[in-house]
């Protein structure tokens, strides 16, 4: 890694006093820093100024933060700090930010200080040029500071103090340990499944005598948060959360209950915890725990599963390459075991082989790429390949499948130890579209999965699942992905999708009206005769039969090559890219002009609710349409099977018997299982069908089409 230009004011240049690393890098060092001033810093506020402050990081940890100098592009700090350093090869990373009250601070530039170029026991004045890693050519001003490096003999007290300051356990460190353990087949001991049922007699926290309760769960580094139930002291949540049971000590599940407040900090209602080490495995435990430090009870179910859901290994230790192991897995998910452990749908093995032609993320002209692979709430990552645009990982990942309609997401990032990893590309692959045993090159896409970015990734995947279990799982609630980032919703994009839905209904109405108006006598006469025949001979079984005939007609239409889905998908893909370009341009302009009130109005919950409503309306229409269009063949075949069975039942069984059985089932469902989570089977089925936006996101790009998309993006930009 190269460092920015450092100017020295002293008798010697920094380069001439470079430390002899083999002899001098042992022991402890003390680095004294005097942050003097900044000059010609970047403008980040509307008034043509900034409110700068400086952060200094070492080994990815913040070790110093300066005071804020308001409305000044040439600030003078004159602040001193002293650091204990164990490894001087590690550079000092310095960032400058503009302080914004109530909002995220704006980045003003960053720089490195190479400690190996400092002369020992000599005060050196340095000038550091600030740059933006995304645009390394531009200079964003510079910082002036004085640094002194002193070598100290090893002192146990210094070493212990250093470790307390710099090696305090954190979630990132624990995750690194988990990854190492995972490589040795020791990552998870099992899954802890928690179903949050209800709360009883909670403490009122609002003036109206009620609360707006929600629950937070924490086990180690894993955190989940339930939905908020408004104005109640006896909330019904009926939500499920899965935790990974690791080999770390202290299997304590901490549970806190909070009252949601919009204009102030949320109120604490109470706390309870569970010691998982005392619970038996492969058994569901119902718990009714009283809240300490508060009032009320929380009711939930806890199930410990001992089997390991995920694993990482090298290519040489692939499970499915072993014939005996493959046979065991195939037998486990065979038809004979269709009604054993319905939650265990199947097994997937993913080989992440290599990537080629990745985007340059570092100023050195290379990247430090690693892969993150996600399936629902399971998330693993590869090691980092340093300084390469064509990395080879050669790792094998295995997951247990809980829903065959899940999406496998593989993301590539550039590792930066002192700041957040840079995004390089991503692919999203529905499990049902995987071709077993084929090594394929997938073109990487952008964060929103609507257009291509630079590079391809080579994957080989195998999916084994039980069809009956997968079908049953389809009509149960879809698992919520708790760790995904909230996406920005474009109101123009959703307006366009809803407009398409409305125009279909309008055109259908116009067609029917034209039949009544006899605009085309032949068409009107045909429609009139069909209407008379259907009404005169109508039976209830004809409703699913007509839907079934429409699906079969579309199937043969697609098989004959008359597929209109491709043109509509390309049209939507281009419109999504255009909307994203407009959104980026608008956000860039708004970032320059937006005041405090504009920002407050921009985040109003009402706007978000309206956009979410538009998205839901458009998605329901698109999912129904795509069911008939055979977008997800597995789901359409399942619908064909259900419609065929429904047609036969309605033809042979009197309607009163069907209604009787249905009514008894609905009325006694809660009596048979009081803790049952309510669901609508039809909506659960539709939630698995891809909307038009998802069709674009999950569409596999070829290198030729990706180049044309990038050309289109440049034109629209």
């Amino acid at each position: 890694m190269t460092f920015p230009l450092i100017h020295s004011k002293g008798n010697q240049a920094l380069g001439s006093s470079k430390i002899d690393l083999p002899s001098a890098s042992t022991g402890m060092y003390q680095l004294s820093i005097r942050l003097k001033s900044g000059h010609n810093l970047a403008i980040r506020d509307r008034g043509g100024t900034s409110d700068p402050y400086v952060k200094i990081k070492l080994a990815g940890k913040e070790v110093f933060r300066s005071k804020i100098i308001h409305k000044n592009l040439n600030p003078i700090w004159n602040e001193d700090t002293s650091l204990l350093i164990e490894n001087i090869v590690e550079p000092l990373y310095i960032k400058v930010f503009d302080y914004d009250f109530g909002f995220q601070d704006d980045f003003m530039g960053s720089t490195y200080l190479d400690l190996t170029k400092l002369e020992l026991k000599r005060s050196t004045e340095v000038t550091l040029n600030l740059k933006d890693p995304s645009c390394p050519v531009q200079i964003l001003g510079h910082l002036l500071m004085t640094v002194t490096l002193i070598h100290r003999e090893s002192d146990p007290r210094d070493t212990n103090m250093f470790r307390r300051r710099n090696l305090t356990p954190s979630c990132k460190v624990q995750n690194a340990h988990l990854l190492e353990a995972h490589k040795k087949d020791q990552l998870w001991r099992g899954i802890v499944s928690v179903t949050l049922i209800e709360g009883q007699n909670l403490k009122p926290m609002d003036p109206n005598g009620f609360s707006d309760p929600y629950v937070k769960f924490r086990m180690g580094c894993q955190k989940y948060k339930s939905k908020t139930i408004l104005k109640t002291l006896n909330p019904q949540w009926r939500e499920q959360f899965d935790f990974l049971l690791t080999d770390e000590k202290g299997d304590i599940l901490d549970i806190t209950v909070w009252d949601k407040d919009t204009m102030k900090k949320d109120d604490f209602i109470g706390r309870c915890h569970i010691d998982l080490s005392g619970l038996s495995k492969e058994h569901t435990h119902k718990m009714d725990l009283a809240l300490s430090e508060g009032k009320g009870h929380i009711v939930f179910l806890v199930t410990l599963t001992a089997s390991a859901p995920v694993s990482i290994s090298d290519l040489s230790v692939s499970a499915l390459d072993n014939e005996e192991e493959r046979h065991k897995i195939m037998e486990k998910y065979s038809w004979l075991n269709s009604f054993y452990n319905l939650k265990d749908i199947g097994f997937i093995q993913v080989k992440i082989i290599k990537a080629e032609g990745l985007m340059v993320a570092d100023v050195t002209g290379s990247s430090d790429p690693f892969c993150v692979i996600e399936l629902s709430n399971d998330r693993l990552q590869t090691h980092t390949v340093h300084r390469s645009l064509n990395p080879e990982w050669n790792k094998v990942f295995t997951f247990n499948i809980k829903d065959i309609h899940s999406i496998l997401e593989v993301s590539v990032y550039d590792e930066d130890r002192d700041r957040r990893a840079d995004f390089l590309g991503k692919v999203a692959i529905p499990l049902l579209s995987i071709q077993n045993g084929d090594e394929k090159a997938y073109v990487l896409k952008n964060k929103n999965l609507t257009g291509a970015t630079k590079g391809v990734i080579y994957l080989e995947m195998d999916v084994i699942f039980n069809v009956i279990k997968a079908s049953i799982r389809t009509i149960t609630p879809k698992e919520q992905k708790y760790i995904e980032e909230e996406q920005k919703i474009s109101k123009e994009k959703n307006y366009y999708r809803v407009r398409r839905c409305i125009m279909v209904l309008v055109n259908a109405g116009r067609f029917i009206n034209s039949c009544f108006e006899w605009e085309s006598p032949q068409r009107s006469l045909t429609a009139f005769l069909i209407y008379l025949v259907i009404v005169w001979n109508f039976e209830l079984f004809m409703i699913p039969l007509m839907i079934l005939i429409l699906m079969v007609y579309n199937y043969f239409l697609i098989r004959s090559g008359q597929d209109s889905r491709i043109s509509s998908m390309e049209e939507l893909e281009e419109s999504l890219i255009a909307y994203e370009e407009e959104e980026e341009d608008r956000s860039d302009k708004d970032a320059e002009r937006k005041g405090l009130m504009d920002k407050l109005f921009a985040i109003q919950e009402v706007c978000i609710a309206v956009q979410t409503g538009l998205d839901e309306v458009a998605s329901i229409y698109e999912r129904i349409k795509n069911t008939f269009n055979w977008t997800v063949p597995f789901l359409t075949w399942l619908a064909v099977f259900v419609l065929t069975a429904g047609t036969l039942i309605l033809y042979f069984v009197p309607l009163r018997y069907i209604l009787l059985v249905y009514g008894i089932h609905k009325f006694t469902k809660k009596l048979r299982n009081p803790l049952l989570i309510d669901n609508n089977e039809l909506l659960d089925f539709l939630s698995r069908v891809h909307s038009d936006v998802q069709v674009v996101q999950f569409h596999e790009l070829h290198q030729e089409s990706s180049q044309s998309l990038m050309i289109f993006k440049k034109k629209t930009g």
Side-chain angles (χ1 to χ4, degrees), residues 303-397:
T303 306
L304 272 67
T305 305
S307 59
V310 293
S311 70
I312 302 177
S313 62
D314 293 323
L315 284 180
S316 58
V317 200
S318 173
L320 294 181
D321 290 344
N322 186 322
E323 288 299 327
E324 184 179 349
E325 191 69 26
R326 175 182 281 271
H327 178 72
K328 287 182 181 179
I329 295 173
M330 295 286 289
E331 186 177 356
K332 180 180 179 181
Y333 299 108
S334 66
W335 290 80
L336 297 176
N337 295 319
S338 296
F339 298 98
Y340 174 74
N341 191 4
L342 291 177
K343 291 186 177 181
D344 189 6
I345 306 297
F347 174 88
I348 179 174
Q349 175 179 280
V350 183
K351 295 181 181 179
I352 299 184
I353 301 170
K354 61 181 179 179
E356 291 180 352
L358 295 181
M359 189 187 306
V360 175
D362 297 336
V363 294
T364 57
S366 64
S367 297
D368 303 317
F370 66 92
C371 262
V372 174
I373 182 169
E374 299 175 75
L375 183 66
S376 298
N377 288 313
D378 294 328
R379 187 175 191 271
L380 298 172
Q381 76 177 54
T382 67
H383 61 282
T384 301
V385 179
H386 293 282
R387 296 181 179 85
S388 176
L389 300 180
N390 303 289
E392 293 188 9
W393 292 288
N394 292 322
K395 290 294 179 183
V396 179
F397 297 78

Side-chain angles (χ1 to χ4, degrees), residues 111-130:
T111 185
Y112 289 96
L113 177 60
D114 188 352
L115 302 181
T116 62
K117 295 182 179 179
L118 297 178
E119 184 179 0
L120 291 176
K121 298 181 182 180
R122 183 179 183 85
S123 179
T124 308
E125 189 173 280
V126 295
T127 302
L128 303 175
N129 290 334
L130 296 172

Side-chain angles (χ1 to χ4, degrees), residues 412-428:
V412 184
Y413 295 91
D414 169 64
E415 182 185 85
D416 284 308
R417 66 180 63 191
D418 35 26
R419 61 189 178 93
R420 189 175 181 180
D422 296 322
F423 176 82
L424 298 180
K426 180 178 183 179
V427 291

Side-chain angles (χ1 to χ4, degrees), residues 201-211 232-233 259 269 295:
N201 302 319
L202 299 183
K203 183 178 179 181
M205 306 301 294
D206 296 335
N208 58 10
F210 294 101
S211 293
T232 181
L233 300 179
D259 168 58
I269 296 179
K295 176 187 175 184

